Amino acid sequence: MAVLGSPLRTLRALLRELRQASGGTGRPYRDTPAYRHILAAFRAHRVTSEKLCRAQQELHFQAATYLCLLRSVREHAALHQEYHGKGERSPEEVAGLVGFRLPQQPGGKG
């Protein structure tokens, strides 16, 4: 099993991903229901001196899983935007992409 690290570090990384995900909406990420839910869940499952929360490790694992999902979605969108096909290309353009040149036709036709 992988080491999860600190719950505070996971929370900060989650909030960073939420901020990046809501960057284009024009709405502050702190006004989103996801932000409020994550903070409420972390506050409800923190360990205090009065009680020992048995579900803390479960919450931390779920938070780390959700963080992995958010990062993967963001990275997938970036890769898709970079490498997605841009429609049909001419043979000369395709040859240039792979580093070749098309042969010239005799008689100056090409």
Side-chain angles (χ1 to χ4, degrees):
M1 186 168 126
V3 177
L4 292 176
S6 164
L8 182 60
R9 187 178 203 149
T10 304
L11 174 64
R12 287 179 177 164
L14 266 173
L15 297 180
R16 188 177 318 115
E17 287 295 328
L18 278 178
R19 185 171 47 245
Q20 288 179 354
S22 67
T25 62
R27 181 176 160 193
Y29 77 101
R30 292 182 178 190
D31 293 341
T32 61
Y35 176 83
R36 289 190 297 263
H37 175 73
I38 289 172
L39 282 184
F42 268 87
R43 285 181 182 139
H45 288 83
R46 69 177 171 221
V47 176
T48 63
S49 61
E50 290 99 26
K51 66 175 185 173
L52 174 65
C53 178
R54 295 174 191 257
Q56 182 188 18
Q57 294 298 325
E58 180 183 345
L59 173 77
H60 191 196
F61 180 75
Q62 287 177 351
T65 303
Y66 186 57
L67 174 62
C68 180
L69 171 73
L70 287 176
R71 281 183 181 158
S72 298
V73 166
R74 179 178 47 84
E75 291 171 0
H76 173 266
L79 287 172
H80 186 269
Q81 184 175 359
E82 183 175 347
Y83 293 109
H84 184 66
K86 295 173 176 52
E88 189 144 347
R89 299 176 185 207
S90 69
E92 293 83 14
E93 188 179 359
V94 172
L97 283 175
V98 295
F100 294 122
R101 289 183 316 168
L102 291 180
Q104 299 293 324
Q105 292 184 358
K109 297 182 180 177

